[in-house]
Amino acid sequence: IVEKDRFQTLGDLWKQWTESGVETSRATVYRRVQEMGYRCRIPQVKPLLNQKQRQKRLTWATEKQHWTVAQWSKREMPKCLKSSVKYPQSVMVWGPMSAAVNAASYQEILERFMLPSAEKLYGDEDFIFQHDLAPAHSAKTTGKWFTDHGITVLNWPANSPDLNPIENLWDIVKRKLRDARPNTLDELKAAIEASWASITPQQCHRLIASMPRHIEAVISAKGFPTKY
């Protein structure tokens, strides 16, 4: 019964044992399961990857296996995050605030915010821009925008948040927001800005420095999801 479905709860096991004629308590079921070598765990939720996607992830990681931390540091990693709370208000975030993002508005954001940021960070040096495969990011017009501006875009495998350290950065922001408990849209925006402003350069550097470990984890997992 246990091996048939590893995602059953203790209550599910107890119910099945009882229905099969085994008269016992939940506590006894728990002890017997422990004695059999099983442990109760909450499963991690990871993207479902097909074989083609796993192969692309593995190929991508293998190509980037020897990138240095300095190379990873020269990436721009914006991402749109829809951050929601228990209240009906929500906002779309890309560094600055935005209401909704399609290809046109995404390119406007890139023009107004990313280009000045990149110029401030890198000056005349080349850099690689990284975003995921969201529809606004992968639109043909967006690709043309990058070509017209002479910006190299990092190829990206689908369903790979574990390869994007900015996901960890957004997680830091969301954890900070749990204590803010905003009640209005303006309070939510202010809380997000304050949370973002509190992130230190050292935290960002640690996330970038973790990229070689992300790459090795994907290669070891043969393209399957990793712990990151």
Side-chain angles (χ1 to χ4, degrees):
I1 291 175
V2 175
E3 293 181 351
K4 185 178 179 180
D5 183 1
R6 294 178 58 197
F7 297 103
Q8 296 178 101
T9 65
L10 187 64
D12 294 333
L13 294 175
W14 175 73
K15 182 179 179 181
Q16 289 192 59
W17 289 15
T18 302
E19 290 175 349
S20 65
V22 179
E23 296 183 5
T24 185
S25 66
R26 287 172 61 100
T28 300
V29 173
Y30 175 77
R31 287 196 298 271
R32 295 296 174 266
V33 169
Q34 293 279 312
E35 290 171 1
M36 293 165 63
Y38 294 100
R39 298 292 181 269
C40 295
R41 296 288 187 270
I42 298 176
Q44 289 185 319
V45 179
K46 296 290 183 178
L48 180 63
L49 298 169
N50 58 38
Q51 185 175 358
K52 184 177 179 180
Q53 291 171 333
R54 294 198 302 271
Q55 184 57 51
K56 285 186 175 181
R57 281 166 50 85
L58 181 58
T59 301
W60 188 92
T62 302
E63 291 173 351
K64 310 297 185 294
Q65 187 174 12
H66 300 296
W67 275 30
T68 64
V69 173
Q71 286 175 290
W72 287 112
S73 298
K74 294 190 69 174
R75 289 189 306 155
E76 282 282 306
M77 299 182 296
K79 179 177 173 60
C80 296
L81 167 72
K82 188 173 183 181
S83 180
S84 61
V85 292
K86 291 183 178 179
Y87 314 96
Q89 294 88 353
S90 66
V91 293
M92 189 73 74
V93 181
W94 186 102
M97 300 298 172
S98 176
V101 177
N102 54 28
S105 58
Y106 181 55
Q107 292 158 37
E108 182 181 353
I109 290 171
L110 294 172
E111 192 85 37
R112 293 180 58 193
F113 299 105
M114 189 278 282
L115 287 182
S117 174
E119 184 176 353
K120 182 178 179 180
L121 287 170
Y122 305 113
D124 294 330
E125 293 184 45
D126 291 331
F127 66 92
I128 299 175
F129 188 87
Q130 184 255 304
H131 56 187
D132 58 23
L133 299 180
H137 302 175
S138 57
K140 290 183 178 179
T141 55
T142 300
K144 184 177 184 301
W145 185 94
F146 281 105
T147 300
D148 292 344
H149 287 78
I151 298 173
T152 301
V153 177
L154 184 69
N155 65 307
W156 193 251
N159 288 341
S160 299
D162 54 345
L163 288 172
N164 193 347
I166 205 170
E167 297 288 353
N168 304 100
L169 199 61
W170 287 129
D171 188 58
I172 293 172
V173 171
K174 287 188 283 187
R175 287 202 304 269
K176 291 176 181 291
L177 286 174
R178 290 183 190 135
D179 298 327
R181 298 190 177 279
N183 292 299
T184 67
L185 190 60
D186 287 339
E187 288 180 3
L188 176 59
K189 290 181 179 180
I192 292 173
E193 290 177 342
S195 175
W196 182 266
S198 69
I199 295 172
T200 66
Q202 289 77 17
Q203 285 177 296
C204 294
H205 180 74
R206 284 196 295 270
L207 293 177
I208 294 299
S210 72
M211 278 307 299
R213 298 196 297 274
H214 290 234
I215 296 299
E216 290 299 329
V218 171
I219 294 174
S220 298
K222 301 187 183 304
F224 280 93
T226 68
K227 66 178 182 179
Y228 292 103

